[in-house]
Amino acid sequence: MSDSREVVAAIDVGGTRIKAALVDRSYQQLTRITHRTPPDIAADIGSVASRIVSALLDQARGEGGEPTLVGCGMVVPGVVDERRGIGRLSVNLGWRDLPVAEPVGRALGIPATVGHDVRAGLLAESRLGAARGARNVVFLPVGTGVAGALMLDGRLVSADGWAGEVGHVIVDPEGSVCGCGSRGCLETVGSAAAVEQAYARDTGQRVGAEIVAGRAAAGEPEAAAVWARAVDALARAIATTVSVTGVDLVLIGGGLAESGDLLLAPLRRSVDDLLTFHRRPRLQRAALGDRAGCLGAACLTWEAL
């Protein structure tokens, strides 16, 4: 018997990869695909979405399904105005004030919803993952950069798309110049890319951040020093966020979270040392991994229909 469930297409646009899925009302993913992000995606984002959705539907039908597509959600990085469906700024993807919802909806002939990738990820974690039941949360995916999303009193905070830029909190005023033009941003010390660059600078060896973490745990002095600097930078940014917002749950995601307690254990200690009268937040690993963006896009879309 063929599967004729209603589904939405959920598309998570990253700097290098696009992850997409067909997701039903119970948030089961019928089928998933990954594509390289076209360098000219901003030139015709509607056509990109159309090709991806066609590939998803073809794959589902090839597996014996006959899904009914009722909507599409696309989440993108940078500064996003969800209300107007516009990508205000994406440095990595090279756009500014890019209409997204309108061309995607027009190309597909169905309602289209646009969101910020990390805020959507937090929405998914709150519905389906590690933030279920929580009301005051910061979600920090730590990878090539450091992104952030906030939920306060049970509501996602957008501030017209400008909220959540934790990666550009200054943790070292004398530090390296950031890609944003400032100096000493969290991303220049506490991201996976920063860990790899600092270790390469100190040792001449270019290895992944997870390898640096393992060498730090094994007692290698150079790796331990680099790892300690990254943990301290992340702890300072988290403590600042806790002080300003009162969040009581900190979810760590992204590639650096794959190191597990090599990151979380010292990070918990460092955050605890920096706080005084504040309530101590729980620090834990996000649950949904690289599925968070797609599932968040699906959540946004089903809610809008």
Side-chain angles (χ1 to χ4, degrees), residues 102-193:
E102 191 277 330
V104 169
R106 184 176 67 247
L108 296 173
I110 53 177
T113 304
V114 174
H116 181 262
D117 54 354
V118 181
R119 280 194 290 277
L122 175 52
L123 177 63
E125 289 285 352
S126 73
R127 301 287 172 78
L128 310 166
R132 279 178 290 188
R135 290 176 52 79
N136 299 292
V137 188
V138 61
F139 175 38
L140 298 176
V142 185
T144 303
V146 182
L150 282 168
M151 176 179 285
L152 299 179
D153 296 325
R155 295 187 176 186
L156 289 172
V157 177
S158 173
D160 298 324
W162 294 95
E165 293 292 340
V166 180
H168 298 286
V169 170
I170 295 174
V171 296
D172 181 7
E174 304 301 319
S176 302
V177 175
C178 180
C180 75
S182 189
R183 183 179 290 275
C185 292
L186 175 60
E187 284 195 358
T188 68
V189 187
S191 66

Side-chain angles (χ1 to χ4, degrees), residues 87 110 142 151 233 239 242 247 250 255 265 268-269 279 295 303:
I110 53 177
V142 185
M151 176 179 285
V242 169
V247 296
V250 179
R268 290 186 185 109
R269 291 193 295 269
R279 64 177 175 182
L295 288 171
E303 286 184 2

Side-chain angles (χ1 to χ4, degrees), residues 10-31:
I11 303 173
D12 178 9
V13 178
T16 57
R17 293 183 302 158
I18 296 174
K19 297 182 287 290
L22 295 179
V23 183
D24 68 13
R25 288 185 182 273
S26 63
Y27 296 103
Q28 297 298 308
Q29 297 182 71
L30 274 67
T31 189

Side-chain angles (χ1 to χ4, degrees), residues 2 14 21 27 48 56 61 66 68 104 108 116 118 133-134 142 165 177 210 243 258 263 276 284-285 297 304:
S2 67
Y27 296 103
V48 172
L56 283 168
R61 290 163 183 152
E66 283 295 334
T68 300
V104 169
L108 296 173
H116 181 262
V118 181
V142 185
E165 293 292 340
V177 175
E210 70 282 0
S243 297
E258 298 299 315
L263 173 65
T276 55
Q284 63 188 71
R285 185 175 169 182

Side-chain angles (χ1 to χ4, degrees), residues 1 9 52 73 90 123 129 135 168 179 188 204-205 281 283 295 302:
M1 182 180 295
I52 289 170
S90 175
L123 177 63
R135 290 176 52 79
H168 298 286
T188 68
Q205 300 178 53
L283 266 73
L295 288 171
W302 280 120

Side-chain angles (χ1 to χ4, degrees), residues 15 28 43 54 62 86 92 94 98 103 105 118-119 146 206 221 224 254 256 301:
Q28 297 298 308
S54 292
I86 292 173
N92 289 339
L98 177 72
V118 181
R119 280 194 290 277
V146 182
R206 172 69 71 170
L256 218 59
T301 308

